[in-house]
Amino acid sequence: MTLKQNVDWNEIESLVNILSKKIKKLPRTFSTITTIGRGGLVPSRLLADRLGIEKILVDKNKISSDSLFVDDIFDTGDTFTNIIPKVDNPSKLVFATLFARRGKKYPSQLIYAKKTDNSAYVVFPWDRFEFKRSQN
């Protein structure tokens, strides 16, 4: 049986608030959010509301460093590794996530709300059916 860390909507709201405060403290603003279609859509929408950003770009082949990149979790680092070559200026990218996997090495571009409790699979409200399917 896989260890899991369930996250409910109340915790999501709290994490979005924490993350949006951190982003607002940055010495820059963002006109858009860029994300991936699976885990990043819901956090992107919630952050867009908090930050007053109206445009969310999904699954783009080219990513502007002026766009905030959002995902639900920094876990294996694969998403970051896959998107960094698509960014026009990788050193200026801000990669924002609700969670960062405890014990991993984080890129300097990462900003997150909270570290995971342990190595358990984080089950977000929007992927609980996917998690159940993966257990069969």
Side-chain angles (χ1 to χ4, degrees):
M1 184 155 139
T2 303
L3 287 174
K4 64 181 180 173
Q5 177 179 342
N6 287 309
V7 181
D8 65 22
W9 284 110
N10 288 330
E11 186 171 5
I12 296 298
E13 287 289 331
S14 175
L15 295 172
V16 168
N17 284 333
I18 291 167
L19 190 55
S20 66
K21 287 177 185 174
K22 287 182 175 183
I23 293 166
K24 286 177 181 178
K25 288 181 182 177
L26 296 174
R28 58 187 287 198
T29 58
F30 303 93
S31 58
T32 62
I33 289 176
T34 303
T35 191
I36 55 172
R38 298 286 293 174
L41 281 173
V42 175
S44 291
R45 180 64 173 93
L46 296 171
L47 276 170
D49 285 346
R50 300 294 188 309
L51 300 172
I53 297 173
E54 293 185 13
K55 192 169 190 176
I56 299 172
L57 309 169
V58 182
D59 296 330
K60 294 296 181 181
N61 288 324
K62 293 184 181 194
I63 301 170
S64 170
S65 56
D66 291 329
S67 183
L68 175 66
F69 192 90
V70 176
D71 200 4
D72 53 6
I73 186 170
F74 181 88
D75 194 0
T76 63
D78 288 348
T79 300
F80 180 81
T81 300
N82 290 334
I83 66 119
I84 205 73
K86 299 176 182 182
V87 181
D88 61 3
N89 187 343
S91 66
K92 289 188 175 183
L93 174 74
V94 175
F95 189 91
T97 62
L98 300 177
F99 281 97
R101 174 68 60 203
R102 185 173 297 280
K104 295 288 184 175
K105 183 177 179 186
Y106 308 132
S108 61
Q109 298 95 327
L110 181 67
I111 186 169
Y112 60 89
K114 181 180 178 182
K115 288 185 180 180
T116 59
D117 292 343
N118 49 42
S119 62
Y121 186 94
V122 178
V123 183
F124 294 98
W126 52 86
D127 71 357
R128 60 191 169 117
F129 296 114
E130 178 182 339
F131 176 75
K132 283 181 186 178
R133 279 193 310 271
S134 75
Q135 299 305 294
N136 294 332

